[in-house]
Each structure stands twice: as C-alpha cells, then as structure tokens.
Amino acid sequence: MSANLINLLIESTLQTLYMVAVSGLLGAVFGLPLGVYLATSQRGELLSSPLVNKVLGLVVNALRSVPFIILVVAIIPFTRTIAGTSIGTTAAIVPLTLAAIPFIARLIENAIREVDSGLIEAARAMGATPFQIIVKVLVPEALPGIALGLTLALVSLIGFSAMVGAVGGEGLGDLGIRYGYQRFMPEVMAAVVVILIVLVQLVQSCGEWIARLVDKRAPRNRGQ
C-alpha cells in the first residue's frame, strides 16, 4: 500500500473519530436527561407526567424506527441549515446526533429502571425530594448500566459513521466506497474493515472497564 493511501487511511480514521466523538457527546448531552425523564415520569413515579411521557415515548420510538440511511437523506435540508452544507464530516454529525439521542435515551431509561425500587422508597422515607433521589440515588446506582449503554451507543455510531460515507460523508466509510469499491482496491477495503473492528474493540473494552470501575457492587463481588 502506497504512502498516499496510508495517509488517506489516517486522515479518514481521524475524521471518523471526530464524527463519533462529537455526535456521541451531543447525543449524551440530550439523551441522558431525556432517558432519565422517560424513566421517572410515568404515572405514580417521581416526576409523574404520563401524558408528556407518552408523547416523548412516541417521538423517541418514531426516530428510532427510521433506518439511518433514510434519516440522513430525509433531513438534508435541516442538515444544510445547521451545518451550512449537506456533505462532509461536520454535516454528517447532524444525522449521527439525531440518531444517537433517542437510542441513548432508551438505553439510559432501561439502566435507570433496573435500580432497586427499595432504594427509592428508602430515600422517600428519609424525606428526599424527587430531584435529590434522581441525582443521589438513581443515577449513581445506574452508572454501570449507563456506562455500558453509552458504550453500545458509541459502537453503533462507528457503524453509522461508516454508512454515512455512502451519502457524502467523509471518514472510513467514504474511503472504503471510493477506493475499495469504486476503484476495485480490495486492500483498502480490508484495511478499512480492520480499523473499524479495532475501533469497536477499543471502545467496547474501555466501556466495560469504566462500567466495572463505577460499579459499587464490584468490591463486594470480588470479596465473595
């Protein structure tokens, strides 16, 4: 493989990392509070608001139901408004973020719902407010699940970032299509696949390590 192709691989990898990092961060910023609210706003829960919960749930489900490649094409006018263009790395962040928010929200909701309800009742009995229960009980107890959920979201975003290369995005997906497929260079395609696999493995390993680190039960489990 020539030095030029190696440079292209490095550049494309950095573009992919940029897209995944920014969209993952934005997805978490909006998805985390949305997920917490969905987990605590059904009837009789801490922030009981069943109507709002139902409406938000329908919106989240609708966004999650749209195939990513269709979402990218469907929101091109919106992407152009936000990013000033519909092609390139920065433009790709818009659909990636919109895909990440509902996905992360559901993952966070599931992690919050796995917290023992007895802890919530105990906190209520001690006079804690709903906000205090969320911040000091639910979120800390759900941290391992949240970490694993965000890890899964980042892994999915790596796959989505490769897909967006088919519709004008940059990164490893674009490189694989332009050189590996259109120019019949299987070694480039193979290199792209290997790099994507390595990225996924690194993200997964780091996510699992963080989940173990924040798991309050881990010391007790190791001592048994």
Side-chain angles (χ1 to χ4, degrees):
M1 189 177 295
S2 67
N4 183 49
L5 285 177
I6 292 175
N7 288 334
L8 284 173
L9 280 170
I10 294 173
E11 181 182 0
S12 297
T13 300
L14 293 175
Q15 290 170 344
T16 293
L17 291 173
Y18 168 67
M19 287 188 287
V20 171
V22 175
S23 59
L25 177 62
L26 292 174
V29 166
F30 293 101
L32 276 167
L34 178 58
V36 171
Y37 184 78
L38 286 171
T40 57
S41 59
Q42 289 187 357
R43 189 180 303 277
E45 293 182 337
L46 291 172
L47 303 176
S48 181
S49 183
L51 179 60
V52 177
N53 181 282
K54 187 173 183 179
V55 171
L56 285 177
L58 289 173
V59 173
V60 167
N61 289 338
L63 286 174
R64 288 186 63 197
S65 301
V66 180
F68 180 69
I69 197 69
I70 294 177
L71 176 67
V72 174
V73 175
I75 66 167
I76 283 178
F78 178 70
T79 300
R80 191 178 291 117
T81 300
I82 297 296
T85 179
S86 60
I87 59 174
T89 306
T90 301
I93 290 173
V94 178
L96 285 171
T97 301
L98 287 182
I101 291 173
F103 186 52
I104 290 175
R106 283 303 187 193
L107 292 171
I108 300 305
E109 179 187 7
N110 291 337
I112 294 293
R113 291 194 181 282
E114 288 178 359
V115 176
D116 186 356
S117 59
L119 295 173
I120 301 174
E121 295 306 319
R124 275 177 163 169
M126 295 174 64
T129 65
F131 179 77
Q132 289 173 328
I133 294 174
I134 290 172
V135 173
K136 296 183 178 180
V137 178
L138 288 179
V139 172
E141 289 293 326
L143 275 179
I146 291 174
L148 292 175
L150 292 177
T151 300
L152 178 58
L154 287 176
V155 168
S156 299
L157 284 173
I158 291 174
F160 288 160
S161 71
M163 246 188 285
V164 84
V167 286
E170 295 176 328
L172 290 168
D174 176 60
L175 183 67
I177 291 171
R178 285 192 296 115
Y179 286 82
Y181 177 71
Q182 295 177 348
R183 301 190 186 186
F184 304 102
M185 301 175 69
E187 70 276 12
V188 174
M189 184 66 78
V192 166
V193 171
V194 169
I195 292 173
L196 288 172
I197 291 173
V198 170
L199 289 178
V200 168
Q201 291 297 326
L202 286 174
V203 169
Q204 187 67 44
S205 297
C206 289
E208 291 174 354
W209 176 76
I210 292 172
R212 289 194 299 269
L213 193 65
V214 299
D215 190 350
K216 295 180 179 179
R217 299 165 297 179
R220 293 196 295 270
N221 291 338
R222 287 196 296 267
Q224 293 176 352

